[in-house]
Every structure is written in C-alpha cells, then in structure tokens.
Amino acid sequence: NYKITPFSKDTLAYKVSIGYSSSLENKSYTFIHNRPNTYFFEKYDTPNVEDSTTLKSLENKLFLRFKNSSIGNLNLDLYHHNWKYKTGYNEYAKDTIISNNLNISRISTKVTWDKKLFGLSTKLMAYQSSNKDFSTSAFSFNLSRKIFKDFNLEASYKYRSQPLNFNSYLTQSDYKEYNWDNTNLLNQNFSTGSLILSHSKWGSFKGELTSINNYTFFYNNTPFLYLNERFKTEVFQTDEKINYLKLRFDQSLNFGKLTWANNLQYQKIDQQKNLDDNEILGDPLALNVPEFLIRSTLMLSSAMFNNSLFFQTGATFFYFTDFYADQFNPLLSEFVTQNNTKIGNYPRVDIFFNSKIQSSRIFLKLENVSAPIKHLINIDAPYNYYAGPFVPYRDFSVRFGLIWNFFD
C-alpha cells in the first residue's frame, strides 16, 4: 500500500481529477483580385491574382487537477500541438524559390498553482515547450490582498517568449513583393510588471510596464511618392528594446438611477527612432499608440409599469490623441505599421437608448452626433475623423435593432 496524500477522515479534503481533451481547428484565407493593378506593385505572369493560406491546428491535452485545503489548487497539463500552415500553390517559377508549407509538432507542459497564504491570494504559472524551434516559454505570478477597508492591492509579473504568426515566417503571393521566407526570425520576448490599487466605490488605478525584445511587425515601406497609391509591406524585426508604459484609471459612480462610468488611459512608448531622410520608413517606429484615451458614459437606468419595462439611455464620449495608427493590408489580412499618416484628436459622441419589455429588447443608437454639430457651428470644418489611415469614420448615422423571443 502507498499513501500518495496525507491521511484525512474528510473525504472532501482531497479532490483529484484526470482528463483528456482534444480540439481540431481549420482556418483559411483567400485573396482574389480579378482585375489586378499596381496597388501591390508588380505581379507574376498570371491573368488573375488568387492567394490563399490554410492553417490546421490540432491540440491534445492531458490534465491533472488536484485540490486540497492545505496545498491549494494544483493543475498539471501536458500538451501536444501540431500546426500545418500552407500557402496556395501556383504553377509558375516562383514556387521553386521558397517552400510553401510549415509542419510543426510540439510537446509542452504547463503548471498552475493558487492558494491563499498569510492573507495573500497567490497564483503561479509556468509553461515550457520541449522543442528548440518554434518554442514557447512563459512564467507569471500574481499576489493580491486587502490592505485597508474597501481597498485591494494586486501585483503581478508576466514573462513570455513566443514565436511569431506563421505568415511572418512564410508568405507566397502572385504579387512579387509579397514572397518571403523568414524562418531565421527570433522569438519575441515580453516582460510585464503591473500594480493595481482598487476601491469598491472609487474605482481602480493600474500601472503597467512592459519590456519587449525582438519585436516583430509588418511595416509599410512604400516610397513616399506612391503614398496611398501603392502598398508595399515587409516583415521587420527590431533589435532595439522597447519599453511600453500604461497607466489606466477606471471608475463607475452611481447617483441613484444615474451612472457615470469613466476610463482614462495614458500610454508612453520608449523606442529608438532611426528614420533615414531619403527613406520615409527606412527604420520605422515599431509600436505606435495614442498617448491619451478617454471614454466617459453618463446614463440613466430605470424601470416603469410595475417593472415590466426596463430602459437605459445616455451618451458616451470618446477621445484619443493623434498617433500613427496601423494600416490594414487586405492581401495579408494584417495591420501594418506606418509612420506617415496620423489619425485621432477628434472627440466623438454617441447617444443610445436600450429597453427590455418582457421577452423583447430594443436598442437605438445615434452614432457620431458630434459630426453634424461640428459642421453646424463651422460649415468649413474639415472632415478629420478616421477609423484608420485613409479610412474615414462614418458620418452621423442611426442604428436600430429589435430582438423578440417568441418562446422563453
């Protein structure tokens, strides 16, 4: 006989479970250009452009869950992953230049543990894969406790070294500029420390500092002469360390039936800028974020007709400072870093009304009501509100919806 746990008369003192799960996921993306032009620069000798990628992901997981009042909660996971990434095959010379598929198998383990020690809620996690190529390693811990009445303090640290998206390593296209084989790229490394001070009534304040090594991204290196007329993209991995500071305040105040919810965020990126005078994007800023983001909502919530009708109505204010927002590339289906065009510095207001009547729900939203007000005050005011570079945000619009459940 072997005792694997200390003796206890309480049959609920130990809870052990063993299990297995498996998942299979298939993804595909196809870009078809029936009338090719020079927007993505020169193409190979083919009448139409049809690029495709497929990704098959298989995950097998064997897990052990152990729960004990003295030891805490201990979880052990053993993973087997297999990824099959493939680009579309085309019958011309470019297919002999680079491979068109990646087949990766990986074994990894994960351990998580949490327990309350000396009034501290403690959580630990470690993750490690066995193979050298396309490996992932991660570690994190989280400590939290109540320090004063209604005040809670939480500190955490996270480290993660992970490979890139597969289309950063390998891409094939009918367009000549969109073919690359970058299997020599290094893992991205992220180290994040955060501190959160929260109050049950007055909200929470979070400070977070992230250090990034080998940050990798798609960047727009289109010559300035062809800005917004053509689109050239390459994979870039910076060897400079990036420090990303984020400070965030969240608050929700209730005054009877009125609620005032606020989110204020400050962000600062510390990175080296090496722009060549002759190349607008010679060595680009890798990570671009707005310095300030503000979101504020004032709403009224109430019930009428013996609580048979519940409604919420109010307004939401959005604002963020201008910054070089990422630009969407439809050929890659990825957002691309650019340092040419800024968006932002435009306040936006939405007005909304939501109601629920028994099994029916109705919503009405007036989006961007600030736009007509702005042009009513100044008819010559510029239309400077954008969702992305060269992508205008929609003008004033009305959205209406109805959900009616005939059966409860």
Side-chain angles (χ1 to χ4, degrees):
N1 296 323
Y2 295 92
K3 282 198 308 181
I4 60 174
T5 59
F7 176 76
S8 177
K9 293 181 179 181
D10 185 2
T11 57
L12 297 179
Y14 306 102
K15 292 183 179 179
V16 180
S17 59
I18 300 176
Y20 167 80
S21 66
S22 180
S23 65
L24 176 64
E25 183 179 28
N26 294 327
K27 294 181 180 180
S28 63
Y29 179 74
T30 302
F31 178 86
I32 299 175
H33 214 169
N34 290 325
R35 296 181 180 179
N37 51 35
T38 58
Y39 183 67
F40 295 109
F41 288 83
E42 186 180 359
K43 67 179 181 64
Y44 286 95
D45 187 16
T46 177
N48 300 320
V49 171
E50 184 172 349
D51 295 343
S52 64
T53 58
T54 60
L55 176 63
K56 296 182 179 180
S57 304
L58 172 65
E59 179 188 272
N60 295 297
K61 181 174 73 171
L62 183 65
F63 60 86
L64 171 66
R65 305 287 182 259
F66 180 80
K67 184 176 182 181
N68 174 256
S69 56
S70 299
I71 300 176
N73 300 323
L74 180 64
N75 301 328
L76 304 175
D77 299 317
L78 178 63
Y79 294 93
H80 165 257
H81 290 105
N82 178 257
W83 294 283
K84 293 181 179 179
Y85 171 78
K86 188 174 183 179
T87 61
Y89 180 79
N90 298 287
E91 296 180 351
Y92 42 87
K94 81 176 183 66
D95 290 294
T96 64
I97 301 174
I98 59 177
S99 172
N100 74 327
N101 68 86
L102 293 171
N103 192 343
I104 303 161
S105 291
R106 193 175 75 183
I107 302 294
S108 53
T109 56
K110 180 181 179 182
V111 180
T112 59
W113 173 74
D114 66 88
K115 181 176 171 54
K116 197 161 188 177
L117 296 171
F118 309 107
L120 279 173
S121 295
T122 307
K123 297 179 181 178
L124 298 174
M125 187 278 294
Y127 182 98
Q128 182 63 55
S129 57
S130 59
N131 56 324
K132 181 179 179 181
D133 297 329
F134 301 98
S135 64
T136 298
S137 58
F139 170 77
S140 69
F141 72 84
N142 182 283
L143 303 173
S144 65
R145 70 166 298 164
K146 183 176 289 187
I147 52 175
F148 302 110
K149 183 180 179 181
D150 299 327
F151 279 96
N152 191 76
L153 183 64
E154 180 178 337
S156 66
Y157 173 79
K158 299 177 182 177
Y159 169 80
R160 187 172 185 86
S161 174
Q162 65 182 37
L164 315 172
N165 290 341
F166 291 117
N167 58 354
S168 298
Y169 295 112
L170 179 64
T171 290
Q172 281 198 5
S173 172
D174 291 338
Y175 289 103
K176 294 183 178 181
E177 299 292 344
Y178 287 81
N179 292 271
W180 53 72
D181 186 353
N182 299 318
T183 51
N184 59 338
L185 290 174
L186 303 175
N187 274 12
Q188 297 184 108
N189 301 320
F190 300 86
S191 298
T192 302
S194 65
L195 192 67
I196 304 175
L197 178 63
S198 59
H199 185 273
S200 56
K201 179 179 179 180
W202 300 112
S204 66
F205 177 81
K206 180 179 181 180
E208 182 178 278
L209 178 62
T210 300
S211 296
I212 310 173
N213 288 303
N214 304 326
Y215 183 69
T216 308
F217 56 99
F218 296 100
Y219 80 103
N220 183 349
N221 63 346
T222 307
F224 188 72
L225 178 65
Y226 299 114
L227 185 63
N228 201 32
E229 295 180 1
R230 297 188 181 186
F231 204 167
K232 183 180 178 182
T233 302
E234 292 186 10
V235 180
F236 189 89
Q237 184 168 78
T238 178
D239 56 2
E240 300 291 339
K241 182 179 180 181
I242 299 175
N243 292 316
Y244 178 17
L245 174 66
K246 184 190 297 184
L247 303 176
R248 181 181 175 92
F249 176 71
D250 295 281
Q251 184 187 60
S252 182
L253 300 175
N254 296 311
F255 306 95
K257 296 181 179 180
L258 283 174
T259 300
W260 188 23
N262 299 287
N263 311 103
L264 174 63
Q265 184 166 300
Y266 170 78
Q267 302 176 119
K268 182 69 174 178
I269 303 291
D270 179 18
Q271 57 188 327
Q272 185 174 351
K273 182 177 181 180
N274 274 327
L275 292 182
D276 191 331
D277 292 336
N278 297 322
E279 294 287 340
I280 296 299
L281 294 176
D283 203 8
L285 289 173
L287 186 59
N288 299 307
V289 296
E291 187 174 11
F292 285 98
L293 297 96
I294 301 173
R295 178 188 177 107
S296 183
T297 299
L298 181 64
M299 67 178 178
L300 171 68
S301 303
S302 184
M304 300 174 64
F305 307 117
N306 295 325
N307 295 325
S308 60
L309 168 65
F310 175 79
F311 73 90
Q312 288 180 329
T313 184
T316 301
F317 170 84
F318 305 89
Y319 175 80
F320 58 88
T321 52
D322 58 350
F323 74 110
Y324 293 110
D326 291 348
Q327 184 177 0
F328 183 72
N329 187 316
L331 180 61
L332 297 172
S333 188
E334 294 279 1
F335 282 94
V336 176
T337 297
Q338 57 87 30
N339 297 152
N340 291 317
T341 305
K342 288 186 176 182
I343 69 168
N345 199 25
Y346 170 76
R348 193 177 86 245
V349 178
D350 296 341
I351 296 176
F352 62 89
F353 175 83
N354 305 315
S355 67
K356 182 179 180 182
I357 307 173
Q358 295 181 350
S359 61
S360 303
R361 286 180 290 171
I362 301 172
F363 78 85
L364 176 67
K365 190 173 185 180
L366 309 180
E367 292 188 322
N368 200 10
V369 296
S370 48
I373 296 175
K374 173 184 177 181
H375 293 98
L376 182 64
I377 297 174
N378 181 9
I379 194 172
D380 296 323
Y383 287 82
N384 58 350
Y385 37 94
Y386 290 85
F390 312 111
V391 181
Y393 192 83
R394 53 182 170 269
D395 288 327
F396 170 72
S397 58
V398 179
R399 296 175 64 189
F400 173 80
L402 171 64
I403 299 175
W404 194 341
N405 297 319
F406 290 96
F407 304 99
D408 293 333

